Amino acid sequence: MKEELNVLIQAQYPLIYLVTSEEERSEQSIFAIAQSLKPQRRVYVWTVTHGIVEYGQPRSTQHNTVSPEAAIEWIIRQKEPGIFILKDLHPFTDDAGTVRSLRDAIASFKGTYKNIVLMSPIQKVPVELEKEVVVLDFPLPSMSELNEVLTNHIEQSRGRRLTTEAREKLLRAALGLTKDEAEKVYRKAQVTAKQLSETEVDIVLSEKRQLIRRNGILEYIEEDETIDAVGGLEELKKWLTQRSNAFTERAREYGLPQPKGMLILGVPGCGKSLIAKTTSRLWGLPILRLDMGRVYDGSMVGRSEANLRNALKTAESISPVILFIDELDKSFAGSAGSGDSDGGTSSRIFGSFLTWMQEKKSPVFVMATANRVERLPGEFLRKGRFDEIFFVDLPTPEERRDIFKIHLSKRRSDISRFDLDQLSKMSDGFSGAEIEQAIVAAMYEAFAQDREFHQLDIIAALKATLPLSRTMQEQVTALRDWARQRARPAAASVAEYQRMEF
Ligand SMILES: Nc1ncnc2c1ncn2[C@@H]1O[C@H](COP(=O)(O)OP(=O)(O)OP(=O)(O)O)[C@@H](O)[C@H]1O
Ligand SMILES: [Mg+2]
């Protein structure tokens, strides 16, 4: 990114929008760039509290530059080369005067060595400037920047020297945090443990989890189940198992591309979310859930975009990682076309997400699930967006047998007293979730009568249930017809699934 910023400044881009909440770090980078240029540029910083102040100089405000318009006019008048950082201008860009003076500034910069950098934690570009502005994200600290933080911390606290391994682990654990956050976390780990060492990695990690949780959009998922807790879906399991080591150095050396992501479509309650979550264990990668509902924030224009950016940036900084987006259809429903009632926010969000997916270089594997294809924007389904689109159908007879076995074994060690084949036969049209519910219902029944539960209790529970596949037969049939042509079946035998009728 710094490279990019450097290039933009040298290429005389008049207006650069830098999205960041780390003002100090960003200013330092800009200053470093300014000094490396020929001719060297001065750096000025404008805030609404102090007006324009030269970077690194004692705080003496340039005359009367507190109002945005006056500040921009002052910038226009400057003859010397310079980079002018305007911090948090976004609340003022609703004002016609401010926007106009920015446009005047841009026009006046032709042939000069002047650039304006708008620096703000949220992205809000006035329509009038959309064509002239370049938006850049300031990235979270890299390993080497964190290394500086850690070194400073150890020097200041007169701590013991770390081994190379311990240092690397502590740095890796802090990836995804801002510089300030990393400092805080190292300090806290030190206070707790007296001495910073390899064992404090866990403290750093758990602090990081909390910080990530606090932003409310990403969530670390801890899943105890392994992929063996999922019945059936053999094709899907095989695909995932084959890619267990896809994010290793070895795979890169072999020449394999990094997997981008997968979409799992299917009937409700058939294990989509479950298998997505167990992939974390299978691949040995952390899994973060992106809560799209929380990305949307109507409180301020640009807030939602900033939320999404920050979440994706955090995910990238702790990659390799699995980014789990459950119920993708609900997240992007508004952007599918007509239902645009939110002033275009959802289609903008959708657009930024697609662009990110397209361009991302970091190993973030997107795992998305959905069950309403008609609500899913068509762009998602286009070839090449995801590595594979799987369709999880209602379980086949063998799969139902498998699911009964898994859920009965989870609750009782001796399951030989159950006739799995009969249960499988009796549960035609049931989803995995409904099978599990039938077992639980049978257990409640028997428990209330103070006895062990049996085959017949389960059969009674099955008979008392009207599965979703019947109550929502039309939707399920429509989904199947759709998926049959476009997605890869997750179950073992294609022939089997195509024969299935209910
Ligand atoms: N194939 C399966 N094997 C074992 N258990 C299953 C299976 N399918 C569903 N279940 C049980 O049902 C529960 C709910 O399934 P899950 O949440 O994965 O369904 P889903 O496909 O994501 O449904 P939805 O579309 O409603 O989100 C699981 O936690 C699990 O206990
Ligand atoms: Mg689900």
PDB file of all heavy atoms in Angstrom, residues 110-124:
ATOM      1  N   LYS A 110      -2.877  21.272 -11.233  1.00  0.00           N
ATOM      2  CA  LYS A 110      -2.247  20.808 -12.482  1.00  0.00           C
ATOM      3  C   LYS A 110      -0.867  21.425 -12.639  1.00  0.00           C
ATOM      4  O   LYS A 110      -0.696  22.634 -12.539  1.00  0.00           O
ATOM      5  CB  LYS A 110      -3.113  21.204 -13.677  1.00  0.00           C
ATOM      6  CG  LYS A 110      -4.384  20.399 -13.723  1.00  0.00           C
ATOM      7  CD  LYS A 110      -4.700  19.897 -15.131  1.00  0.00           C
ATOM      8  CE  LYS A 110      -5.887  18.959 -15.118  1.00  0.00           C
ATOM      9  NZ  LYS A 110      -7.156  19.665 -14.816  1.00  0.00           N
ATOM     10  N   GLY A 111       0.122  20.571 -12.862  1.00  0.00           N
ATOM     11  CA  GLY A 111       1.467  21.069 -13.086  1.00  0.00           C
ATOM     12  C   GLY A 111       2.190  21.503 -11.818  1.00  0.00           C
ATOM     13  O   GLY A 111       3.282  22.048 -11.891  1.00  0.00           O
ATOM     14  N   THR A 112       1.605  21.243 -10.653  1.00  0.00           N
ATOM     15  CA  THR A 112       2.295  21.559  -9.399  1.00  0.00           C
ATOM     16  C   THR A 112       2.628  20.260  -8.675  1.00  0.00           C
ATOM     17  O   THR A 112       2.148  19.191  -9.050  1.00  0.00           O
ATOM     18  CB  THR A 112       1.392  22.378  -8.457  1.00  0.00           C
ATOM     19  OG1 THR A 112       0.342  21.509  -7.998  1.00  0.00           O
ATOM     20  CG2 THR A 112       0.795  23.575  -9.150  1.00  0.00           C
ATOM     21  N   TYR A 113       3.451  20.360  -7.662  1.00  0.00           N
ATOM     22  CA  TYR A 113       3.730  19.172  -6.853  1.00  0.00           C
ATOM     23  C   TYR A 113       2.918  19.228  -5.574  1.00  0.00           C
ATOM     24  O   TYR A 113       3.465  19.341  -4.486  1.00  0.00           O
ATOM     25  CB  TYR A 113       5.222  19.069  -6.545  1.00  0.00           C
ATOM     26  CG  TYR A 113       6.061  18.803  -7.764  1.00  0.00           C
ATOM     27  CD1 TYR A 113       6.737  19.842  -8.399  1.00  0.00           C
ATOM     28  CD2 TYR A 113       6.166  17.523  -8.281  1.00  0.00           C
ATOM     29  CE1 TYR A 113       7.496  19.605  -9.533  1.00  0.00           C
ATOM     30  CE2 TYR A 113       6.925  17.272  -9.413  1.00  0.00           C
ATOM     31  CZ  TYR A 113       7.589  18.315 -10.036  1.00  0.00           C
ATOM     32  OH  TYR A 113       8.340  18.072 -11.147  1.00  0.00           O
ATOM     33  N   LYS A 114       1.616  19.206  -5.727  1.00  0.00           N
ATOM     34  CA  LYS A 114       0.758  19.282  -4.555  1.00  0.00           C
ATOM     35  C   LYS A 114      -0.288  18.164  -4.587  1.00  0.00           C
ATOM     36  O   LYS A 114      -0.820  17.842  -5.637  1.00  0.00           O
ATOM     37  CB  LYS A 114       0.045  20.655  -4.518  1.00  0.00           C
ATOM     38  CG  LYS A 114       0.960  21.782  -4.015  1.00  0.00           C
ATOM     39  CD  LYS A 114       0.555  23.115  -4.558  1.00  0.00           C
ATOM     40  CE  LYS A 114      -0.626  23.706  -3.824  1.00  0.00           C
ATOM     41  NZ  LYS A 114      -0.983  25.050  -4.331  1.00  0.00           N
ATOM     42  N   ASN A 115      -0.521  17.585  -3.430  1.00  0.00           N
ATOM     43  CA  ASN A 115      -1.580  16.592  -3.323  1.00  0.00           C
ATOM     44  C   ASN A 115      -2.342  16.815  -2.027  1.00  0.00           C
ATOM     45  O   ASN A 115      -1.766  17.225  -1.023  1.00  0.00           O
ATOM     46  CB  ASN A 115      -1.055  15.150  -3.237  1.00  0.00           C
ATOM     47  CG  ASN A 115       0.156  14.900  -4.086  1.00  0.00           C
ATOM     48  OD1 ASN A 115       1.248  15.386  -3.802  1.00  0.00           O
ATOM     49  ND2 ASN A 115      -0.023  14.100  -5.116  1.00  0.00           N
ATOM     50  N   ILE A 116      -3.624  16.509  -2.093  1.00  0.00           N
ATOM     51  CA  ILE A 116      -4.425  16.509  -0.865  1.00  0.00           C
ATOM     52  C   ILE A 116      -4.701  15.063  -0.484  1.00  0.00           C
ATOM     53  O   ILE A 116      -5.059  14.246  -1.343  1.00  0.00           O
ATOM     54  CB  ILE A 116      -5.764  17.261  -1.070  1.00  0.00           C
ATOM     55  CG1 ILE A 116      -5.486  18.767  -1.176  1.00  0.00           C
ATOM     56  CG2 ILE A 116      -6.726  16.987   0.084  1.00  0.00           C
ATOM     57  CD1 ILE A 116      -6.729  19.622  -1.371  1.00  0.00           C
ATOM     58  N   VAL A 117      -4.497  14.748   0.784  1.00  0.00           N
ATOM     59  CA  VAL A 117      -4.845  13.417   1.278  1.00  0.00           C
ATOM     60  C   VAL A 117      -5.974  13.575   2.283  1.00  0.00           C
ATOM     61  O   VAL A 117      -5.811  14.249   3.304  1.00  0.00           O
ATOM     62  CB  VAL A 117      -3.642  12.724   1.956  1.00  0.00           C
ATOM     63  CG1 VAL A 117      -4.054  11.362   2.508  1.00  0.00           C
ATOM     64  CG2 VAL A 117      -2.486  12.571   0.985  1.00  0.00           C
ATOM     65  N   LEU A 118      -7.122  12.980   1.978  1.00  0.00           N
ATOM     66  CA  LEU A 118      -8.216  12.993   2.941  1.00  0.00           C
ATOM     67  C   LEU A 118      -8.038  11.768   3.833  1.00  0.00           C
ATOM     68  O   LEU A 118      -8.005  10.644   3.348  1.00  0.00           O
ATOM     69  CB  LEU A 118      -9.569  12.925   2.231  1.00  0.00           C
ATOM     70  CG  LEU A 118      -9.861  14.036   1.209  1.00  0.00           C
ATOM     71  CD1 LEU A 118     -11.206  13.801   0.543  1.00  0.00           C
ATOM     72  CD2 LEU A 118      -9.839  15.401   1.886  1.00  0.00           C
ATOM     73  N   MET A 119      -7.908  11.994   5.127  1.00  0.00           N
ATOM     74  CA  MET A 119      -7.662  10.871   6.023  1.00  0.00           C
ATOM     75  C   MET A 119      -8.832  10.751   6.984  1.00  0.00           C
ATOM     76  O   MET A 119      -9.183  11.719   7.653  1.00  0.00           O
ATOM     77  CB  MET A 119      -6.368  11.126   6.803  1.00  0.00           C
ATOM     78  CG  MET A 119      -5.918   9.949   7.631  1.00  0.00           C
ATOM     79  SD  MET A 119      -4.489  10.382   8.645  1.00  0.00           S
ATOM     80  CE  MET A 119      -3.200  10.438   7.429  1.00  0.00           C
ATOM     81  N   SER A 120      -9.410   9.555   7.017  1.00  0.00           N
ATOM     82  CA  SER A 120     -10.613   9.396   7.820  1.00  0.00           C
ATOM     83  C   SER A 120     -10.856   7.911   8.104  1.00  0.00           C
ATOM     84  O   SER A 120     -10.486   7.070   7.292  1.00  0.00           O
ATOM     85  CB  SER A 120     -11.781  10.000   7.036  1.00  0.00           C
ATOM     86  OG  SER A 120     -12.995   9.436   7.415  1.00  0.00           O
ATOM     87  N   PRO A 121     -11.444   7.600   9.250  1.00  0.00           N
ATOM     88  CA  PRO A 121     -11.701   6.180   9.524  1.00  0.00           C
ATOM     89  C   PRO A 121     -12.845   5.608   8.694  1.00  0.00           C
ATOM     90  O   PRO A 121     -12.994   4.409   8.598  1.00  0.00           O
ATOM     91  CB  PRO A 121     -12.064   6.156  11.006  1.00  0.00           C
ATOM     92  CG  PRO A 121     -12.514   7.534  11.318  1.00  0.00           C
ATOM     93  CD  PRO A 121     -11.796   8.444  10.380  1.00  0.00           C
ATOM     94  N   ILE A 122     -13.656   6.476   8.099  1.00  0.00           N
ATOM     95  CA  ILE A 122     -14.717   5.947   7.259  1.00  0.00           C
ATOM     96  C   ILE A 122     -14.592   6.508   5.853  1.00  0.00           C
ATOM     97  O   ILE A 122     -14.010   7.562   5.637  1.00  0.00           O
ATOM     98  CB  ILE A 122     -16.132   6.246   7.809  1.00  0.00           C
ATOM     99  CG1 ILE A 122     -16.461   7.720   7.653  1.00  0.00           C
ATOM    100  CG2 ILE A 122     -16.276   5.800   9.242  1.00  0.00           C
ATOM    101  CD1 ILE A 122     -17.924   7.996   7.833  1.00  0.00           C
ATOM    102  N   GLN A 123     -15.157   5.744   4.935  1.00  0.00           N
ATOM    103  CA  GLN A 123     -15.065   6.169   3.550  1.00  0.00           C
ATOM    104  C   GLN A 123     -16.357   6.855   3.136  1.00  0.00           C
ATOM    105  O   GLN A 123     -17.419   6.251   3.118  1.00  0.00           O
ATOM    106  CB  GLN A 123     -14.823   4.963   2.652  1.00  0.00           C
ATOM    107  CG  GLN A 123     -14.621   5.356   1.212  1.00  0.00           C
ATOM    108  CD  GLN A 123     -14.638   4.147   0.310  1.00  0.00           C
ATOM    109  OE1 GLN A 123     -14.384   3.033   0.747  1.00  0.00           O
ATOM    110  NE2 GLN A 123     -14.943   4.347  -0.955  1.00  0.00           N
ATOM    111  N   LYS A 124     -16.271   8.133   2.834  1.00  0.00           N
ATOM    112  CA  LYS A 124     -17.460   8.845   2.380  1.00  0.00           C
ATOM    113  C   LYS A 124     -17.011   9.839   1.322  1.00  0.00           C
ATOM    114  O   LYS A 124     -16.438  10.883   1.619  1.00  0.00           O
ATOM    115  CB  LYS A 124     -18.086   9.568   3.569  1.00  0.00           C
ATOM    116  CG  LYS A 124     -19.350  10.320   3.222  1.00  0.00           C
ATOM    117  CD  LYS A 124     -19.819  11.119   4.431  1.00  0.00           C
ATOM    118  CE  LYS A 124     -20.766  12.201   4.034  1.00  0.00           C
ATOM    119  NZ  LYS A 124     -20.754  13.311   4.999  1.00  0.00           N
TER     120      LYS A 124
END
